[in-house]
Amino acid sequence: MRVLGIDPGIAIMGFGFVDKIGHRLVPVQYGSIQTAAHTPQEQRLVQIYEASCQLLDQYRPERIAVEKLFFNKNVTNAFSVGQARGVFLLAAAQRGIPVGEYTPMQVKQAVVGYGGAEKKQVQEMVKRLLKLSTVPKPDDVADALAVAICHAHSVGLNERMNGVTRS
């Protein structure tokens, strides 16, 4: 199963493709979609949409996982990030790819085993779990890989639980 993790952002949107083969996680491709600050908002969204479509078509994930937005201070930034996230979700929906959403605490719990883990701990565990030589940069990329790892670990359990509750 190929999972794409996304760390949404308007300036930097981290992405990470991970294959789950049995109990192993294998990194496929990771990086970021970046837009320039001086570019008009609508053009930044077009750039994110087009890059998202290209990634989805090239790497064909079976599942997508995104981090739920959590902002308590900068409302303007929250709107911009929400718009970028929405553009990506549109590209996924157009391709019929299921999307899972996880809070930062859920991601930390799945990757580190502790929902209150520090960012550096999560990054180090991403490196170890995927057998990478270095922590992916920028931080948004490591965060996206963490979301993919979380979903890869959770998807089977979630499907089994949903199957039980539907019966």
Side-chain angles (χ1 to χ4, degrees), residues 1-86:
M1 170 181 57
R2 179 162 291 171
V3 177
L4 168 59
I6 293 292
D7 182 39
I10 189 73
I12 302 172
M13 180 176 287
F15 68 85
F17 291 89
V18 174
D19 282 351
K20 183 175 182 185
I21 304 167
H23 294 291
R24 288 185 324 123
L25 296 175
V26 179
V28 175
Q29 180 64 280
Y30 51 90
S32 62
I33 299 168
Q34 298 188 22
T35 63
H38 60 80
T39 306
Q41 181 87 356
E42 62 276 11
Q43 285 304 310
R44 293 174 92 176
L45 294 173
V46 167
Q47 291 170 7
I48 291 168
Y49 175 76
E50 289 175 349
S52 299
C53 290
Q54 183 179 9
L55 286 170
L56 293 172
D57 292 342
Q58 182 175 356
Y59 293 101
R60 302 194 176 280
E62 296 169 57
R63 308 292 170 91
I64 295 173
V66 296
E67 194 167 83
K68 287 185 179 179
L69 296 181
F70 178 76
F71 288 92
N72 59 1
K73 293 183 182 174
N74 191 338
V75 175
T76 302
N77 191 39
F79 282 127
S80 293
V81 172
Q83 289 173 337
R85 184 177 185 272

Side-chain angles (χ1 to χ4, degrees), residues 1 63 98 151 154-166:
M1 170 181 57
R63 308 292 170 91
H151 193 66
S154 303
V155 71
L157 176 62
N158 289 341
E159 287 174 350
R160 287 191 300 274
M161 288 177 59
N162 287 339
V164 169
T165 56
R166 287 186 196 142

Side-chain angles (χ1 to χ4, degrees), residues 136-154:
K137 296 290 180 195
D139 292 350
D140 311 79
V141 178
D143 292 345
L145 285 166
V147 175
I149 291 167
C150 175
H151 193 66
H153 287 319
S154 303

